[in-house]
Amino acid sequence: MGVFVFLPLVLPLTALPIARLAEQHLHPRATTRLLTLLAAVLGLCSTLCLGLLVVVGTAQLRGNPLPDGWSDPEVRAAVPFAEVAGVAAIPLLAAALTVCGTALRRHRRIRARTHRALDGLPAGADPAVLPDDEPYAYAVPATPARPGRPARPGRVAVSRGMLRSLDDDERRALFAHERAHLRCRHHRALLAVRLAGCVNPLLLPLRSAVAFAAERWADEEAAQVVGDRRLTARAVGKAALVTRRAAPGLAHFAAPEPGPVPRRVAALLGPVPPARHWPPTLTPAGLAALVAAAGTAASALSALNAAVALFVVLKAATPL
Amino acid sequence: MPDVKMPDVPAGGTPGATGGDGMGGKSFGSFGGSGRERARRRGQGQLESQVLAALHHAPGPATAAWVQDRLGGDLAYTTVMTILSRLHAKQAVTRERSGRAYVWTPAADEAGLAALRMRRVLDGEPDRDAVLTSFVSALSRHDEQLLRTLLDRDAADTNGPADASGPADAPTPADGPAPAPGRHHRPDEAHGA
């Protein structure tokens, strides 16, 4: 398998240019789907290769449960720097899987706690209006049925404080935005990129890119439902202005790049985003998309190659 | 609820004067735990709603024994007391001394209780954004100025009378220091890449 087993660990770098450029050149729907797909494939391949390295590394450890033949020099010869890489891969994979498990559990916990909190309200109440002066509005994703627990449909939860600050039309835009989140299942894309970022930190920039693209996507859906982009922009802007201000942190000293809300409002006040799924080839975005596609394909092929090669080597080394 | 000790409540059912403030908080903090533990907590969430609903149907301030009667016989008195003190800790009910017992009055309705619970989730889970997609995220000071500029410009474009709600969302002086004027016409430029 040679160097192929290492490639998927660094190939996520090829997705970074398109993560940066997609926002301006693609429809948010296409951006969300493309970046989520890239993150999922790159994350899976990266984890698979880490797993292969762990097998080689574990076989070298004293008292491991793997067949003795797996620590033969022929197996180690299949991986460059087998001693260092194999042993280093063990804590890396353990850390990646631990962080992933934590993120997954937290996802489920927050979802369950929110549903429990809303249980007191009538089940049909959608949106669920909470008598709270603090302005907020959330889309609570559906919970699938489990043994002993029925499925719960997704809900929109909005506080009275938020409703009070918007007029009727703006409220319609708000509800359309949150329902779009639920209908398009944005939480799945968000969870996928979150897990991808957990298994390979190089994929972290895709997380914020997808989070922003999902918001933009819901904005565009809302604008279509209410039939007015400027109205939607106003709803987003007013809601943001009544929301508690972010705690002043280090961000103040960073370059004053506009945050997500001004960018969303500016995009809604601007022209309708192009409906295309792929940027024109001979533009920076087009090239970035090609690089990302090539990188992802290379990552998948490398992972496959490494997996097959290691399987063959281990099979040969296993005494029958 | 055999695990809740209330030594100060006589078995006869007159609530003790110190009706367990401390035990309400006992089971608050511990999350995770076994599946049985989780199931129990979920049950208590529903019980809180039931107890609150019962108090709402009371003609006036009610005792815990009244609530227990109202909810049917299968709830232990101590359970009712636990839930009432839990609701009290959440400020969903108020209580006052009446003789040796407390009488309880609902301070929030079921929706209010849901709001209190929701706030606990929101305040307790700073990393919730990947699960609960919020309508808007918090603004920095710079973002706020930028946003006001964008909205003001939009309101000016619609020419006041055509847009009744325009002035309402521009309560701040528009003559503040406009950040980077002319940079944010189009989304392409707003990114500042």
Side-chain angles (χ1 to χ4, degrees), chain B residues 77-88:
Chain B
Y77 181 82
T78 48
T79 310
V80 175
M81 276 307 290
T82 308
I83 292 175
L84 280 172
S85 22
R86 184 163 307 197
L87 287 168
H88 185 250

Side-chain angles (χ1 to χ4, degrees), chain A residues 16-257:
Chain A
L16 300 190
I18 190 65
R20 181 88 177 147
L21 292 173
E23 174 192 333
Q24 305 153 42
H25 298 279
L26 284 178
H27 192 279
R29 188 190 314 117
T31 307
T32 310
R33 288 182 176 156
L34 176 66
L35 295 186
T36 307
L37 182 69
L38 291 177
V41 173
L42 289 166
L44 278 178
C45 294
S46 159
T47 312
L48 174 64
C49 285
L50 213 49
L52 297 178
L53 286 172
V54 164
V55 170
V56 175
T58 308
Q60 301 169 44
L61 297 181
R62 214 170 278 282
N64 72 78
L66 300 177
D68 292 343
W70 288 19
S71 58
D72 282 355
E74 298 88 68
V75 177
R76 273 181 278 167
V79 183
F81 319 110
E83 283 78 12
V84 181
V87 174
I90 298 173
L92 285 180
L93 183 68
L97 294 183
T98 310
V99 178
C100 252
T102 310
L104 206 57
R105 270 201 307 279
R106 184 168 46 216
H107 183 94
R108 297 219 171 111
R109 186 188 66 219
I110 295 177
R111 198 173 57 183
R113 280 188 73 186
T114 315
H115 275 295
R116 275 209 298 277
L118 299 178
D119 268 350
L121 297 167
D126 186 53
V129 179
L130 296 157
D132 192 342
D133 289 334
E134 178 92 14
Y136 58 78
Y138 289 97
V140 188
T143 316
R146 293 250 180 72
R149 184 153 56 81
R152 286 162 150 165
R155 298 181 90 165
V156 176
V158 56
S159 73
R160 213 167 41 195
M162 175 63 87
L163 290 184
R164 211 180 279 140
S165 63
L166 303 177
D167 66 27
D168 281 348
D169 288 337
E170 291 157 351
R171 287 177 195 175
R172 277 196 329 169
L174 162 74
F175 296 145
H177 174 104
E178 298 299 348
R179 292 210 179 94
H181 276 316
L182 296 177
R183 195 178 57 244
C184 305
R185 301 201 166 90
H186 288 159
H187 58 280
R188 289 191 184 173
L190 294 174
L191 181 61
V193 289
R194 173 160 287 248
L195 294 180
C198 290
V199 295
N200 192 328
L202 292 178
L203 289 168
L204 280 175
L206 267 68
R207 188 155 103 185
S208 47
V210 168
F212 180 73
E215 290 302 325
R216 282 280 302 121
W217 182 358
D219 281 347
E220 291 296 335
E221 295 281 322
Q224 225 162 35
V225 170
V226 301
D228 188 345
R229 292 168 62 78
R230 305 178 76 163
L231 168 66
T232 313
R234 234 172 20 240
V236 173
K238 274 170 85 170
L241 286 177
V242 298
T243 301
R244 208 166 18 171
R245 173 159 331 131
L250 285 176
H252 269 280
F253 303 103
E257 186 159 316

Side-chain angles (χ1 to χ4, degrees), chain A residues 109 132 138 230 245 259, chain B residues 119 125 128 135 143-144 154:
Chain A
R109 186 188 66 219
D132 192 342
Y138 289 97
R230 305 178 76 163
R245 173 159 331 131
Chain B
R119 273 291 275 283
E125 305 277 5
R128 62 183 178 265
F135 185 47
D143 282 352
E144 187 177 331
D154 177 54

